[in-house]
Amino acid sequence: MFGKIVSHKVEDNKIHLEFEKNKGILEVINPMIVNVFCPLKYNNHYSRAVENLNIEQCEILVQEKGSYIEIKTEALLIKVYEDFKVDFYNIEGKILCEDFREERAPFIRRGTISDAQDEGHNVDKQAHNHKIEVVKRLFGDEKFYGLGEKTGHLNKRGYYYEMWNTDDPTPHVESHKSLYKSIPYFITLREDSTFGIFFDNTFKTYFDMGKENSEYYYFGAEDGNLDYYFIGGNNIQEVLKGYTDLTGKTPLPQMWTLGYQQSRWSYSPEGRVKEIAKNFREKDIPCDTIHLDIDYMESFKVFTWDKERFPDEKKLLNELNEDGFKIVTIIDPGVKKEKNYDIYETGLKNGYFATDKDGITYVNRVWPGDSVFPDFSNKDTRDWWAENQKLLLNSGVSGVWNDMNEPASFNGPLPDDVQFENEGRNTDHTEIHNVYGHLMAKATFEGIKKHSGKRPFVITRAAYAGTQKYSTVWTGDNQSFWDHLRMSIPMLLNLGMSGISFCGADVGGFSFDCTPELLSRWVQVGAFTPLFRNHSGSNTRDQEPWAFDEETLNINRKYIKLRYSLLPYLYDLLWSGETTGLPVMRPLVLHYERDKEVYEINDQFLFGENILVAPILEQGKKIRTVYLPEGQWIDYWTKEVIDGGKYILKDAPLDICPVFIKKGSIVPNYPEQSYVGEKDIKELTLDVYPGQGQYVHYVDDKASYNYREGEYTLYEFIMKSDEKVAIDINIKHEEYKAYNSFKVIYNCNTIKEISFNEEKLDFLENNNKIEFIIPAISGKLVIR
Ligand code: GLC
């Protein structure tokens, strides 16, 4: 495809390579990140994911070394050979990533396809070659993480996936090659090295992570440019930071979005919505959000209300808002083809809809019947769609849920030849399909931002790399299966490893009927997932916290309340994620990558760095093994201190989800509230697990963008432990009126004396902990 290197030329950070048959560009983005590019379709990068490429002026040394060109940055050594083979080494010369030089050699598939097909089996065909293909050597100890929302396990080695946003209502199982999102990004980890690859190509892409041969792995595409980023780093966290520096960080959301959310297809008419809201308050279950699924609309026409079922939506939403409920409404892309329907007529008049190849507005069937599809690749369409959000906001809607935006239709994916404007580079559906949902979410985000001034809350089903900037995601139509509860964990963890921190799965499962035990165990996981939403499908059994029996209700209440107490900690995680790119829900490997034991842990996760969650994921199970990594851990329920670096057995009756806190942690807690903002919290509880540690707590108005102008307060806690424990409290930044006092819950009961700024304090002894109150000012707390 490329042939020999003919010449090369260095221009700033770019190395232009002239090959016999093609040209290539290597661009040093910063010492750790390098872009490999060949303009096979377009001369430039037209990325939908990388919107503000920040190219660092850095030293690079380029030398011709006979058969190859050598490029050195401060951190990497790169060798480019004929056929545009590129090998990456660290600066000490250790190979990190090597292009595979031999022909691909797929394993042999024996037997006949047709016989198996005759019996109705789905049969994998031999993999084919792609127009663009990058084949890399697979090292024996290499593991893969990321790839967005895929079924299966945490480590993707040995599996094959495709990136083609897919709405597949059949139960999600390991053989699904694709689901709703396409995030062509993965991280590799070896015993002593790690890096990431982001293949920025929106066409259908293919990722074989060593399935067809254990000597290599490859990624490929049918069309588009060869355009991938090699992202180096000293550890996985740095790689993830590099990737999110490119594609964007999950922004800090409004705090209410982190509360509990209740959904169902559908709460309608308005009486049913009121009844749901009333139940939450009466049964003392905190809840911030109720979702309205498609039936609130008139004939499924987006941006309308069914006036029979919702005669006065403004009044209804206003009443609910006053009771502390935010309303999120679903908006699908399909616009009903109907004369005199304003959205349809305006879109049609302005050419905002996708067309067929003859330029005629393309029509397919979705909920409203014959529908047309906004061309979100066109900026004018996006601006118009953004303006439409005003209609929802004016009714009192607080967030928008974007669905069916793969785009899905009742006849499967749109045909390849549907036409899109693509910012003046007219193209067809094969290029836009994977970014359609991403662009819809972007338009929605921008509209809500402009017209509410607050941090928008958008949920999308379809996504591409970078969607985290605009929207939270949920993992689509799972089922009320134990297997789906189990699978949701590696799925969400890999979404987090792919930059999407704010994500969740339908708690309780969407299709099929949930059971009391399954809901009890699912809410225990949901309490620790960033998006905490119970949602279920049409015609399934009721699944609200009270829908089963007293025991299930109590368990739901217990974990939803636990979630509300942890809100300040969760909010801190999202705030710090704006800088680090680290997700809320983390595989253990993200913090313990030198511990081989954690590479394949699918059924435990970290909630931030210091809380380890090991839920029960099987029916009937009341005990499980838990792996605790190095250090000491405190059982959240019993306060027992346990040495890590080993497996333990933990009893877990139905109301217990095993949770462990790392020694040296300070976890901020809120008092009980029915919804975010119910109370003006002037006293923050600090749940302290004595040891060495550091914690930063962040406070702002929980909703606006004023924090970006400095309106926030930052508390830093540095805890040191020898014969006494000393906590230095420093207010690092103070431009938001936060707390008057801290209530300290100190998890140890062998205390003789406590002083704050050298003044002795009274304390209360309570089981295996003590409690006392200090003013929320800078100072030194000493506990002996
Ligand atoms: C899709 C969504 C689901 C929603 C339903 C009706 O199946 O994934 O969440 O409830 O459509 O809108």
Side-chain angles (χ1 to χ4, degrees), residues 240-259:
L240 193 45
K241 166 138 191 341
Y243 170 71
T244 51
D245 283 346
L246 288 174
T247 60
K249 307 275 192 289
T250 299
L252 180 67
Q254 296 191 57
M255 195 188 265
W256 64 264
T257 68
L258 304 174

Side-chain angles (χ1 to χ4, degrees), residues 265 293-294 330 367 401 403-404 461 474 477 510 535:
W265 176 13
D293 206 325
I294 48 178
I330 198 167
W367 308 115
W401 166 21
D403 187 26
M404 302 291 277
R461 192 170 73 175
W474 96 106
D477 298 345
F510 174 77
H535 178 54

Side-chain angles (χ1 to χ4, degrees), residues 217-268:
Y217 64 96
Y218 73 81
F219 49 92
E222 296 297 5
D223 206 341
N225 285 340
L226 167 67
D227 187 352
Y228 76 89
Y229 295 83
F230 172 92
I231 305 166
N234 292 311
N235 50 51
I236 304 185
Q237 294 186 20
E238 279 184 24
V239 175
L240 193 45
K241 166 138 191 341
Y243 170 71
T244 51
D245 283 346
L246 288 174
T247 60
K249 307 275 192 289
T250 299
L252 180 67
Q254 296 191 57
M255 195 188 265
W256 64 264
T257 68
L258 304 174
Y260 178 76
Q261 312 199 7
Q262 185 64 51
S263 184
R264 177 168 184 92
W265 176 13
S266 297
Y267 292 131
S268 172

